[in-house]
Amino acid sequence: MNMTSAILPKAALLFSLALGSAAALAQTAAVKVDGAWARATVQGQKGTGAFMSLTASEATRLVGVSSPVAGVAEVHEMKMEGDVMKMRALPSLELPAGKKVELKPGGYHLMLMDLKAPLAKDSTVPLTLLFKDAKGVESKLELKLPVGTAAPGAAGAAAEHKH
Ligand SMILES: [Cu+2]
């Protein structure tokens, strides 16, 4: 437990630095986020995924992601190549106007790597999404994702099922 308290202030500092450097960005992205969550990790695990659905009011692209808990964060795509599930980093993800784009296990996802501490179930993790529109104007979105072992909706459905 001492380890957690030692790591947290550092993460908070990194986060405020990241906010400071991004202060020049004028606007907040007009992108709706639903069902966002990050997958919990165990001690020693260095990478995990974050998932959500994104709906842009005007066509834009997701060009970057960052989090104070991860040394490296990338937009990833996962798909079958023959019999093998492969994962690769995408330079950007198209978000057409009004169309819901799902980031979910087995498909597009946000990859958090070089984790500075395990992501504990039922905690939250800050995440910043960076968008670039057709005119090249950048905007960002600050999120706080719940950490869990399954999508929030799926967990809720499972809980209801017990009654
Ligand atoms: Cu990945």
Side-chain angles (χ1 to χ4, degrees):
M1 290 308 115
N2 281 339
M3 221 181 122
T4 312
S5 58
I7 288 163
L8 278 178
K10 195 178 161 199
L13 177 65
L14 286 172
F15 188 46
S16 60
L17 287 174
L19 283 177
S21 64
L25 297 170
Q27 66 185 98
T28 301
V31 177
K32 192 158 83 71
V33 178
D34 290 304
W37 65 288
R39 195 187 292 283
T41 64
V42 294
Q43 189 74 43
Q45 188 181 341
K46 298 308 271 181
T48 192
F51 313 95
M52 64 193 67
S53 65
L54 299 172
T55 311
S57 56
E58 285 174 49
T60 188
R61 283 176 299 141
L62 175 63
V63 294
V65 55
S66 63
S67 173
V69 303
V72 179
E74 294 174 343
V75 182
H76 272 197
E77 176 185 38
M78 195 179 253
K79 63 178 179 187
M80 294 297 290
E81 279 179 22
D83 290 339
V84 187
M85 193 65 128
K86 288 208 171 153
M87 183 157 87
R88 68 184 182 108
L90 293 176
S92 69
L93 176 61
E94 295 289 336
L95 301 176
K99 189 177 171 236
K100 188 187 257 197
V101 176
E102 303 261 12
L103 281 68
K104 60 187 178 188
Y108 297 123
H109 58 278
L110 304 177
M111 197 78 195
L112 305 179
M113 291 170 286
D114 193 12
L115 293 174
K116 296 176 169 66
L119 303 191
K121 188 174 183 290
D122 300 327
S123 65
T124 58
V125 53
L127 197 78
T128 302
L129 302 180
L130 182 65
F131 302 95
K132 196 181 252 187
D133 72 11
K135 298 187 200 94
V137 177
E138 290 188 345
S139 57
K140 61 174 183 144
L141 205 55
E142 307 279 352
L143 302 173
K144 268 205 162 49
L145 270 55
V147 177
T149 51
E160 275 169 35
H161 205 74
K162 283 178 192 162
H163 287 282

